[in-house]
Amino acid sequence: MNILKREKQYENLKNLLNNSKEELHKNTYPLKASHLRAVYNSFTINNAYKKDSLVALTGEEFPQEILFALSIIPIDLQSMCAMLARSNSDVLNNCYRQMDNINMSKDICSNIRSSFSVAFADILPEPNMVFGNSIPCDGFSKLAYYISKMYDCTFLFLDTPDANDEKSIAYLSKQIENSFYDIVKNFNLKWDVIDILKTIRYSNEAKKYYLATLDLVKKYQLQSVQNELYELVVANLWGAKELVNVTKTLYQEALKLSEVASNNKKRILWIGQVPNYAYKFLDYLYDNVDVIYFASFKDEIVTLLDEKNPYESMAKRLISCSWNPFRRYDIITNICKNYNVDGVILQNPWGCRNLLGVTNILRTMLTKNKVKCLTIDADFMDREKFAYSQVVNRCTAFFEML
């Protein structure tokens, strides 16, 4: 692995991001917590390009706590691509065009296509290791493997079972523990048991403020707060000490905003990823309804870890990240009941076979139980696959029906 390449990759990234600026939604209060998260996220990404840094490429479901315990910088591929998709300078689409030149299909999952594109454009920091996982899908595990070959670096894989039982938890727990010790051995790292306990404590403390904020959302419509809860899921920085301050600040701001909140809009539960580039559409959405996001309530997000059984609790949390439509239906119905949801928007993401299949099942189950649903097509990475007028017309009719 050529660590000296990171300087060139950093220059490539800066050149692509030149003159780009993420917009603020006009209906979103500029929260201090959002700025703190953005600054820390930028600091993390910047450090990943330094030649002496240990860097791991991961996915959104990976237990980042074991990496923070070893002072390894985790770069979540989906989170990195989401940041690029938000650029006004059409950064990610420029990466796509390079992949078009080598005839990569446009009909694959946007997360996978985006991750390949940014790797091919040579703007990711040269990783020391890449982690694959059998969830969220087989496609992501293959993506991780091929990217590790592209960079000629260590590849580690977690085979996460579908079954949620003692045998499966023990099987995955052992894998997580072995991965931890493999990293220590392969990179000759020094560590103490207190290191992993610290990251678990940071993770749990951050999530306690996160959960307290979710409780406030039950009573009050706090759109800017609800947006930031979603952003924390996308950032996937659980285990970082700095995230405790971010979630604590968010909770404090939510308390103040709740004093002046007006619950005068219909509440929508958004299921699926949010189009990262569609600011005009999101502004339209927030003008008309209050939106909460299914991703903010998933079991793997709201579950705390056990300091006495760190690997086992990580395994339990990871297994809870399931595509099982019946499990998802239970979570959705609980959210609808506890958070006074008036309707559900199900997003059909381009190329995601898993979610496309699950969405139809969920819609059928929810409709039978008199939950009002709208299905829309909205790619969450590629702005060329989003028809603003068509989606707005469908949403307008749906809101009128509510």
Side-chain angles (χ1 to χ4, degrees), residues 5-17 49 57 77 80-81 84 90-102 104 112-126 143 147 150-151:
K5 284 187 67 179
R6 286 182 182 167
E7 185 175 341
K8 174 62 177 173
Q9 289 158 345
Y10 189 60
E11 289 301 315
N12 292 342
L13 178 65
K14 287 200 298 183
N15 290 336
L16 277 173
L17 291 173
Y49 287 91
L57 298 183
L77 284 167
M80 186 79 166
C81 291
L84 296 173
D90 205 19
V91 170
L92 198 54
N93 277 26
N94 288 333
C95 296
Y96 286 151
R97 292 183 190 107
Q98 294 187 46
M99 300 308 291
D100 293 342
N101 293 334
I102 61 170
M104 171 172 269
I112 294 174
R113 182 172 171 235
S114 301
S115 299
F116 264 126
S117 297
V118 296
F120 189 80
D122 201 26
I123 58 178
L124 290 174
E126 186 89 358
L143 162 74
I147 285 184
M150 185 184 298
Y151 290 107

Side-chain angles (χ1 to χ4, degrees), residues 225-356:
V225 173
Q226 289 148 206
N227 294 348
E228 182 56 25
L229 289 169
Y230 175 82
E231 292 297 337
L232 287 167
V233 175
V234 175
N236 192 20
L237 295 168
W238 307 109
K241 180 180 179 180
E242 292 78 2
L243 203 64
V244 176
N245 188 35
V246 173
T247 55
K248 180 180 180 180
T249 302
L250 179 62
Y251 174 65
Q252 292 170 340
E253 289 184 293
L255 276 175
K256 290 182 180 179
L257 288 171
S258 68
E259 296 173 1
V260 294
S262 56
N263 298 350
N264 58 357
K265 293 181 179 179
K266 296 293 185 181
R267 172 163 278 184
I268 296 295
L269 174 63
W270 179 286
I271 300 176
Q273 290 177 289
V274 179
N276 289 295
Y277 48 82
Y279 299 110
K280 185 179 179 182
F281 169 68
L282 294 175
D283 284 336
Y284 154 80
L285 206 60
Y286 304 148
D287 272 339
N288 289 277
V289 291
D290 179 69
V291 184
I292 58 175
Y293 301 99
F294 172 74
S296 305
F297 299 88
K298 293 190 295 184
D299 281 351
E300 64 270 26
I301 300 301
V302 300
T303 301
L304 301 182
L305 298 177
D306 183 356
E307 291 182 25
K308 296 180 180 179
N309 299 290
Y311 305 113
E312 181 181 325
S313 59
M314 288 178 193
K316 288 180 179 177
R317 187 180 68 182
L318 199 51
I319 288 176
S320 70
C321 177
S322 172
W323 285 102
N324 186 305
F326 301 102
R327 176 63 190 136
R328 290 202 166 205
Y329 171 75
D330 289 340
I331 298 173
I332 291 167
T333 51
N334 284 333
I335 297 171
C336 290
K337 178 181 177 181
N338 295 326
Y339 287 80
N340 299 313
V341 170
D342 298 291
V344 172
I345 292 181
L346 296 149
Q347 184 221 350
N348 271 335
W350 189 283
C352 180
R353 278 34 174 193
N354 282 349
L355 198 50
L356 284 171

Side-chain angles (χ1 to χ4, degrees), residues 10-60:
Y10 189 60
E11 289 301 315
N12 292 342
L13 178 65
K14 287 200 298 183
N15 290 336
L16 277 173
L17 291 173
N18 188 33
N19 296 324
S20 68
K21 183 180 179 182
E22 185 178 343
E23 301 171 0
L24 283 176
H25 304 139
K26 63 182 180 181
N27 291 337
T28 302
Y29 182 83
L31 297 173
K32 181 180 178 181
S34 301
H35 289 288
L36 288 174
R37 171 190 47 79
V39 168
Y40 176 63
N41 202 30
S42 299
F43 175 77
T44 301
I45 292 171
N46 184 70
N47 282 343
Y49 287 91
K50 294 181 178 179
K51 65 179 182 178
D52 295 328
S53 297
L54 273 178
V55 177
L57 298 183
T58 71
E60 61 179 320

Side-chain angles (χ1 to χ4, degrees), residues 212-224:
T213 308
L214 274 183
D215 280 339
L216 285 175
V217 172
K218 282 183 181 180
K219 302 175 183 177
Y220 307 102
Q221 293 183 358
L222 307 170
Q223 191 61 69
S224 57

